[in-house]
Amino acid sequence: MYRNSLFVLLWLAGLSPVAVAQRTAQGPAGRPLTVSVFSHGISLPTVTPQLTSLNPGLRIGTEIYYRNRRRSQLFQTLNAGGYLHKNLQNALFATTELGYRKFIGGFFVEGMLGVGALGASYWLKQYQPDGNGGYQAASPFVVKAVPTVSLGVGYWFTGGSPVSVFVQESAFGEVPFGFRGQPVLPHAALHVGMRMFFNQNQH
Amino acid sequence: MKRRYLLLLSTLVIACQTEEVPQQQAGDCAPDAYAQHAKHQTYQAELAQYRSATNAPGSLMRIVRQGEAIWQGVAGQSNLEHQTGFRNCDQFRVGSITKMFVAVAVMKLKEQGKLGLDDNLVQVLPDKAGNIPQADHITVRQLLSHTSGIVDPPNASMSYQLNIVSQAAAHYNKSVDQLLTEYVYGKPLQFTPGTGFSYSNANYWILQQIIEKKTSKPLQVVLNEVIFAPLNLADTYLERRDDRNVVRGYADLYGNGKLFDVSSWDRAEDDGKAAGGIISTAADLTAFMNGLFGGKLLSAASVSEMIDSVKLPACPNGDCEYGLGIEKWFTGAGIAYGHNGGSVGFEANLLYFVHNKGIFMLYKNNGNGSDKRLMDRLMK
């Protein structure tokens, strides 16, 4: 009974001998669609703030492969998304990152560095000089260039339609930011997502 | 279809609702005659220049000098959302000027025999043993003079600062004990107590607990009994209240000349706390300095002890720039005692000049630093 259940679970998880055997010498071809939901926080890249205060976000993206092998991938991501931070700002962003992914069996670890643009609308009111020595109301919307860094772990389900799932901690910063001498306003996001190949053609 | 969803999402973000900024409640200041002051034009021009140079929406200055009438002036605005002009009677956050008030309360307890300046932390607050290193070697005097070595979360802890930015309401609701537990307990000292100087707001969080323990009263009640009521400072308070009449605070967060209204951050960090929570007026603040240095609050010996600089290896001759809750300023107009106060959205300065018994009060509602050399010109 238990043995059968375990077999079914392993099969569903893509660990069946068939699935493993189908893994090609090279990684999957084509461009994946990556979708993740995340909790956003204004914090250094630690997980706790995102778990204790839920500020939801959604990110979609794809990847371009510069090196695509069975054991590793060198790739560039193209992402877009947004989040709602209930106490500070709501934002849309677009980012691109250069990444490296290392496979160990079906598991992988990945690291990415990149840049992006963040368009954030603050809850705080903003004012701009009126040209006469005073200030007048301004849009609370700001656009900033942001550096990004991400680390993740995941599992690659192989087979006819390769899918991987991942957990990723992503950080980006608004620079400059003037608060008590801190040069940067750090953002962190804890992602849970999946990567799917819809147009896979074997090399 | 996709385009429609994208447009909807973008609109939601860009048209995001912003926080409500309350309008100041109606009320007139008592009429004043500052415009008739012989130096009105000079003082007002200096104040306007100060406001302009610091990119502050508004500023306020009060000058008390022997031999001439008191002058006070305002420039600019106290609330940009409602374009409210700054008024002489407006209440504002004074930040760390609060520390002078708290130090006076401690000295009063000392005069009453309820507390010794050389009592150690474990004697007065036994729960600090095990929570703060060398608590049995840290004295009340060291807390007052920032020579305890205890860390300063508001200026040194990124986690503390980000908590204000991202969760101001939650931070506002934290008690002093919660702040100490989260940001101070278990942290190593910066130096052996009594061997160095390092400004720390946490010293005054602990002093608040000491005062409340020794008196069995909230700090604001003690301050009212010891300072506010005796000096009739009717517009000064520490406790958390509706702050719609308090001058708004602003900060240029991105260095682009635009200002955010960060009053909710200032409120979250300061209100109700001994490190920087007092809200007052220029008239009340100068009345406090008159009361302190005029002997209405403490004995001459206590005031002398407060202004006497701490003795440290770095300044063995008493030429350090901090006493017991009081800063010592070496200005172009002579030695002055008082305190600077500031937070994200404002800066305040309150100084007493020894040579002419003058009092200088300067405020602006932009939290950036400032060149205060106008004080040298005006207080000579």
Side-chain angles (χ1 to χ4, degrees), chain A residues 40-44 49 52-53 55 58 60 80-92 118-130 132-144 174-187, chain B residues 6 9-21 51 54-57 77 79-83 154-169 250-266 269-270 342-344 366:
Chain A
H40 172 268
I42 300 292
S43 75
L44 293 171
T52 53
S53 180
N55 296 295
L58 174 70
I60 58 173
Y83 60 83
L84 307 173
H85 189 294
K86 57 182 174 285
N87 296 316
L88 186 68
Q89 60 183 204
N90 297 335
L92 295 174
L118 176 78
S121 187
Y122 273 80
W123 290 99
L124 303 176
K125 297 275 188 180
Q126 189 175 216
Y127 305 90
Q128 61 191 9
D130 64 5
N132 295 312
Y135 287 86
Q136 62 190 13
S139 165
F141 189 72
V142 297
V143 178
K144 301 290 292 181
E174 292 183 60
V175 184
F177 190 78
F179 184 82
R180 300 259 165 82
Q182 300 291 351
V184 59
L185 179 65
H187 298 245
Chain B
L6 199 60
L9 184 61
S10 304
T11 305
L12 279 174
V13 171
I14 293 169
C16 170
Q17 188 184 355
T18 52
E19 68 177 6
E20 287 296 315
V21 175
R51 181 183 87 87
T54 56
N55 299 318
Q77 291 165 313
N79 182 329
L80 290 177
E81 185 64 15
H82 300 285
Q83 294 293 309
N155 290 303
S157 166
M158 195 172 196
S159 163
Y160 174 97
Q161 294 164 354
L162 295 179
N163 195 257
I164 291 174
V165 171
S166 64
Q167 300 185 54
Y250 301 91
D252 181 356
L253 298 178
Y254 290 111
N256 59 3
K258 295 181 180 178
L259 300 178
F260 280 97
D261 184 331
V262 292
S263 306
S264 58
W265 296 1
D266 292 336
E269 175 161 40
D270 293 329
S343 194
V344 191
N366 185 335

Side-chain angles (χ1 to χ4, degrees), chain A residues 33-188:
Chain A
L33 172 68
T34 305
V35 180
S36 65
V37 292
F38 63 89
S39 179
H40 172 268
I42 300 292
S43 75
L44 293 171
T46 56
V47 172
T48 309
Q50 292 91 278
L51 292 177
T52 53
S53 180
L54 189 66
N55 296 295
L58 174 70
R59 185 185 69 183
I60 58 173
T62 189
E63 294 178 351
I64 300 166
Y65 296 101
Y66 297 117
R67 192 175 74 186
N68 190 8
R69 297 179 181 163
R70 182 183 171 194
R71 294 184 183 280
S72 66
Q73 290 175 321
L74 183 64
F75 57 93
Q76 183 176 2
T77 66
L78 300 168
N79 300 310
Y83 60 83
L84 307 173
H85 189 294
K86 57 182 174 285
N87 296 316
L88 186 68
Q89 60 183 204
N90 297 335
L92 295 174
F93 61 83
T95 61
T96 181
E97 297 171 299
L98 190 63
Y100 178 78
R101 185 174 294 128
K102 176 71 178 173
F103 293 94
I104 304 163
F107 294 94
F108 62 82
V109 294
E110 59 189 8
M112 287 152 270
L113 278 175
V115 294
L118 176 78
S121 187
Y122 273 80
W123 290 99
L124 303 176
K125 297 275 188 180
Q126 189 175 216
Y127 305 90
Q128 61 191 9
D130 64 5
N132 295 312
Y135 287 86
Q136 62 190 13
S139 165
F141 189 72
V142 297
V143 178
K144 301 290 292 181
V146 291
T148 71
V149 59
S150 304
L151 286 173
V153 295
Y155 187 78
W156 180 22
F157 299 91
T158 56
S161 177
V163 171
S164 66
V165 294
F166 61 86
V167 176
Q168 191 181 91
E169 177 72 2
S170 172
F172 56 98
E174 292 183 60
V175 184
F177 190 78
F179 184 82
R180 300 259 165 82
Q182 300 291 351
V184 59
L185 179 65
H187 298 245

